[in-house]
Amino acid sequence: MLTITDLTYRIAGRILLDEASAQIGGGQKVGLIGRNGTGKSTLFGLIMGELHSDAGTIELPSNAKVGIVAQEAPGGPMTPLDVVLAADTERAALLAEEASTEDGIRIADIHHRLIEIDAHTAPARAAAILAGLGFDTEMQSAPMSSFSGGWRMRVALGAVLFSQPDFLLLDEPTNHLDLEATLWLEAYLKAYPKTLLMISHDRHILNSVVDRILHLDSCKLTLYAGGYDDFEKRREERIMQARAAAAKQEQRRAHLQSFVDRFRAQATKARQAQSRLKMLQRLTPIAAIAEDPTIAFDFPQPEELAPPLISFDRVSVGYEAGRPILRDIDLRFDPEDRIALLGANGNGKSTLAKLIAGRLEPMTGGQHRSNKLRVGFFAQHQIEDMDERATPFELMANLMRDAGESKVRAQLGRFGFSRDKAFTKVGDLSGGERARLNFALITYSAPPMLIFDEPTNHLDIDSRRALAEAINDYNGAVIIISHDWSLLELTADRLLLVNGGKVTPFDGDLDEYRKLMLAQRGTGPVRGVAIENGGGSQGGGGQNAKQRGADRRKALEPLRRRAREAENALTRLNGEKTELETKLSRPRLDGVERALLMRRLADLNKSLGVAEEEWLAAEEALEQASAA
């Protein structure tokens, strides 16, 4: 059991935790959530003893083993299998002692304990975990120095899972994983037999794995039963109850104040007025529950292009001549396509994305691209490579050279950048803010196709939902590579599997793909953890939401067209009015011509009035339908 009592912690004068309390029972699986910057990772540091609180206590059983993913996995000649096996420190110590001692009795004790901890199956269990995280047999035996930072973090994750601590702390464990490894990890954590506290912005995992939500908000901790959807409902209920109580109290306060104001000066009522004044002073204001500000993204709508946007005919593509990564690609992409690219990391998803974006040319085969096609491409390295000395306004203005300041700020405003944030140095922005800036940068020209390569790594739950809604409202084609199951469920209409050098349509749905992945990766003995090959999304809500998104885009299109046509008509009439007024301002204008122009101007003003009403009605209808 973990008990947090009246915990207070400040950093640089800022309070992150203020007399926060919570209790997590043994065997519970808890999702720790809160806006970026509220102190979730700081709380982990306090639990681990790496940080020291200003006040309050954190209590764990004295014999509890606490595990957290190491910040860096070792490099050098050790293999991933070596690193994971070394995480079981008791086994490693026993084996070392067995090799060095000559005491027969001690050797017998060691053998007995090795049997108790199931040491003989350790290599198989470690290999199963690594396989689940995407390491094939060859990779498990390669030196750690041959892997990138992302793959080393997978090894670090595998090591802490293998050690099976009594209290497992995970901080955004899916950030370095692809969808396939995320599916395996989800199944593993669902079956994990001990206590789990996990920071995550992945709504699907927070619904399928955890049985409690610990919400860090306004420097306090509140524990809710159930998954994330349950948390949202209960929090909304608390907000509504607090509003109703505050409104009722305000009515009571107004009534008392009215009595005091009316009768304070009257001798016969003075005592009653004084009594009510004391009641007023004793009315403690009901604290409002802070509501998170609404987040919305708004991708500029592209011009309509005739299908197909792109088609490939037996295309091969790669980076070295004669060594293609993908072969015989036969695909076409049309406006309003919503396509998810599936397949484990290293199979060529990003290579295919670069081919679609026009950043790689085919080695062989033919392609057709619409002449007016522009592609907005989101990739993680763009966030890391931003000029930290520049401001969002400067980066955007550099792209929109012919636009005025108001248009530049309007594009930033589509993604939540206020005036202050627009002129903040990029180096002072959070990861989520940089991601939103990147959305603004790649969409400034209203491209008819958007490609997202892991767009959610730095986004919190509300921002991920806003991204899904923006994708569904966008009229162009969208290609997505993501480990975020919820994002794919809510947006993808087609699935393409990139595997073994081929790109093929996946005929099943995401739940069938999940079962396929778990069947391939969910085998092997794992002590205390039995991974089932079933699962699937809860209640089929994701598939329904995806269909609703497609239906919504289709239903909104006539309203968008009507609004565009009304706006174009209004613009044309305003142009004609300006032209007439210019003619009327000429100094040498005879009476007959002036009368004709005045009559035309009067007719035009009537037409403008009608056009304005039609435009306002169209915009209102679109706004109401979008909000429904």
Side-chain angles (χ1 to χ4, degrees), residues 35 295 297 436 439 459-468:
R35 283 295 176 102
I295 293 177
F297 300 155
R436 289 193 278 116
F439 292 140
L459 299 182
D460 59 25
I461 293 176
D462 291 336
S463 295
R464 294 181 185 207
R465 179 165 47 195
L467 175 60

Side-chain angles (χ1 to χ4, degrees), residues 54 67 91 151 213 237 244 247 304 377 460 531 537 545 551:
D54 297 310
R91 172 183 173 277
W151 283 98
I213 293 291
E237 288 170 1
E304 296 180 14
F377 194 109
D460 59 25
I531 298 179
S537 63
D551 293 343

